[in-house]
C-alpha cells in the first residue's frame, strides 16, 4: 500500500479534515475548475477529432473512464463551435429517432419533434451535405443501440461529414463480435485510438495545472490516479477542493498533508484492492 494511502486511512489528521469540512460549507469549488488541461491523453483524443473534421472520416476513441475523453471533446467542440456537434448519449434516449432529434436541435437550434425518423434523417443529410466540413462527436456511445450506431454510419455516408465515436470497450467488442452486421461501419473507421489507462505524463500535467509538482504530492495523487474507478477525474476532484481550501487559508501551496486530508474528507480511502 502506498504510504500516503495508508496515512489517509490510519492517521486522518482530524483537525485538518474538520477545517476542510467547515470551509467546504461556504466555499464553492466551481471557480477552481479548469475548462481544459493539456495532457498526453487529451492530445490523442484531439488528434482523432481534428483528423476526422478535416478529412470527413470516421474515428473511434476507446478509453477507460476518467481519462478525459469528455473534457477534451467538449473543449474541441467549443473551439470549433460552428463546425462541430458534440452529443452525449443518454441511456433513456438511446434509439435512432431520439439521437437524430438531439442532433437536429444542435444544427437548427429549434424543436424538430414533429418530424418522422426518416424525415429527420433526410433533412439532416441534406443540410450537412451543403457544408461537409463539419464533425459529429458522439460521447458515451456504448449507451446507444447497435441499430442507432449503424444509422450514424448511414448519416456519415449520406452527408460526408466527419464522425467520432467515444466510449468504453463494451460497444466496440459487440460490434467486432457481430462483424457481419457492422462490417460497413467497421470498414469505414479510418483512425482508431485506445487509451487503456493513464498515459505517461497525464498525472504530472494535471498536477502542474494546479501548481503541484513536488514528489510527495505527486505520490499522493498517484494513489488516486492508479484506481480505475477514479483515474484523472478523481485527481481533479481532489485538486479542486485542495486549491479552494488553500486559497481560503491565504496560501497557494497544496501540500501532501492537505491532499491526504481532502482524500479523507471526500471519503476516498485507499486500501488494497482485491
Amino acid at each position: 500500500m502506498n504510504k500516503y494511502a495508508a496515512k489517509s486511512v490510519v492517521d486522518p489528521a482530524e483537525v485538518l479534515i474538520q477545517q476542510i469540512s467547515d470551509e467546504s460549507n461556504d466555499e464553492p469549488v466551481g471557480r477552481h475548475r479548469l475548462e481544459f488541461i493539456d495532457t498526453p491523453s487529451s492530445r490523442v483524443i484531439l488528434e482523432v477529432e481534428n483528423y476526422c473534421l478535416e478529412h470527413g472520416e470516421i474515428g473511434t476513441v476507446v478509453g477507460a473512464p476518467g481519462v478525459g475523453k469528455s473534457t477534451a471533446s467538449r473543449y474541441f467542440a467549443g473551439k470549433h463551435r460552428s463546425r462541430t456537434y458534440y452529443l452525449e448519449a443518454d441511456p433513456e434516449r438511446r434509439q435512432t429517432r431520439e439521437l437524430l432529434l438531439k442532433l437536429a436541435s444542435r444544427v437548427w437550434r429549434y424543436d424538430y419533434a414533429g418530424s418522422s425518423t426518416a424525415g429527420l434523417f433526410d433533412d439532416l443529410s441534406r443540410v450537412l451535405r451543403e457544408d461537409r466540413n463539419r464533425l459529429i462527436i458522439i460521447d458515451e456511445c456504448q449507451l446507444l443501440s447497435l441499430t442507432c450506431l449503424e444509422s450514424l454510419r448511414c448519416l456519415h455516408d449520406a452527408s460526408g461529414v466527419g464522425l467520432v465515436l467515444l466510449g468504453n470497450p463494451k460497444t466496440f467488442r459487440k460490434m467486432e463480435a457481430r462483424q457481419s452486421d457492422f462490417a460497413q461501419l467497421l470498414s469505414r473507421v479510418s483512425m482508431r485510438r485506445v487509451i487503456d489507462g493513464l498515459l505517461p505524463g497525464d498525472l504530472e500535467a494535471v498536477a502542474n495545472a494546479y501548481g503541484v509538482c513536488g514528489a510527495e504530492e505527486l505520490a499522493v495523487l498517484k494513489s488516486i490516479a492508479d484506481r480505475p474507478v477514479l483515474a484523472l477525474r478523481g485527481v481533479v476532484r481532489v485538486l479542486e477542493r485542495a486549491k479552494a481550501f488553500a486559497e481560503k487559508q491565504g496560501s497557494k501551496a497544496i501540500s501532501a498533508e492537505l491532499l491526504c486530508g481532502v482524500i479523507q474528507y471526500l471519503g476516498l480511502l485507499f486500501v488494497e484492492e482485491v
Side-chain angles (χ1 to χ4, degrees):
M1 182 188 299
N2 182 287
K3 66 177 181 178
Y4 295 105
K7 179 179 179 182
S8 66
V9 173
V10 302
D11 180 22
E14 294 291 347
V15 174
L16 176 59
I17 295 168
Q18 186 58 51
Q19 290 177 331
I20 294 171
S21 178
D22 293 341
E23 297 290 358
S24 296
N25 291 329
D26 56 14
E27 174 62 19
V29 298
R31 68 187 183 88
H32 300 284
R33 186 162 296 142
L34 303 178
E35 179 186 6
F36 174 73
I37 301 173
D38 181 24
T39 66
S41 286
S42 71
R43 287 178 216 137
V44 170
I45 297 160
L46 297 179
E47 175 191 25
V48 174
E49 291 169 347
N50 187 66
Y51 175 85
C52 292
L53 172 61
E54 297 302 326
H55 299 282
E57 299 285 359
I58 296 180
T60 62
V61 178
V62 182
V67 298
K69 300 185 300 295
S70 299
T71 300
S73 298
R74 291 191 193 102
Y75 169 78
F76 184 90
K79 187 177 179 182
H80 303 277
R81 190 177 305 276
S82 64
R83 303 165 60 196
T84 302
Y85 308 108
Y86 170 84
L87 289 82
E88 188 170 351
D90 183 340
E92 300 300 322
R93 298 176 178 84
R94 57 193 301 269
Q95 302 303 324
T96 302
R97 173 177 168 75
E98 294 157 338
L99 184 70
L100 292 179
L101 280 170
K102 186 180 286 190
L103 178 58
S105 71
R106 301 289 195 278
V107 175
W108 289 297
R109 309 290 179 185
Y110 63 80
D111 186 9
Y112 221 70
S115 296
S116 65
T117 301
L120 276 169
F121 184 93
D122 291 343
D123 287 348
L124 280 168
S125 299
R126 173 180 50 78
V127 172
L128 293 173
R129 193 163 50 242
E130 292 171 357
D131 180 5
R132 300 185 178 189
N133 194 22
R134 298 193 234 187
L135 178 68
I136 300 169
I137 300 173
I138 307 295
D139 197 2
E140 304 289 356
C141 72
Q142 71 273 5
L143 300 177
L144 296 176
S145 68
L146 297 179
T147 301
C148 187
L149 289 169
E150 181 62 9
S151 296
L152 286 169
R153 190 274 304 171
C154 293
L155 183 62
H156 161 79
D157 286 355
S159 66
V161 300
L163 173 65
V164 173
L165 302 175
L166 310 171
N168 64 33
K170 180 179 177 181
T171 291
F172 299 99
R173 284 199 299 265
K174 284 184 178 179
M175 286 192 288
E176 289 169 358
R178 296 174 55 181
Q179 289 192 26
S180 60
D181 296 325
F182 292 94
Q184 301 243 36
L185 174 57
L186 293 172
S187 68
R188 283 165 173 74
V189 176
S190 63
M191 181 174 280
R192 297 173 172 85
R193 293 292 185 268
V194 178
I195 308 175
D196 289 328
L198 299 188
L199 297 181
D202 278 346
L203 177 61
E204 292 77 7
V206 172
N208 186 64
Y210 285 88
V212 174
C213 56
E216 290 186 292
E217 289 73 27
L218 286 173
V220 177
L221 296 175
K222 191 174 187 301
S223 296
I224 305 168
D226 285 346
R227 294 192 44 129
V229 295
L230 296 173
L232 284 184
R233 186 179 294 131
V235 170
V236 170
R237 190 180 307 147
V238 170
L239 285 168
E240 286 174 353
R241 173 48 59 198
K243 187 174 180 65
F245 179 80
E247 290 189 357
K248 196 71 180 288
Q249 298 297 309
S251 172
K252 293 185 178 180
I254 298 177
S255 66
E257 181 183 16
L258 174 56
L259 291 171
C260 287
V262 171
I263 289 170
Q264 178 77 11
Y265 167 70
L266 294 177
L268 308 179
L269 303 180
F270 296 97
V271 297
E272 296 288 350
E273 295 200 30
V274 179

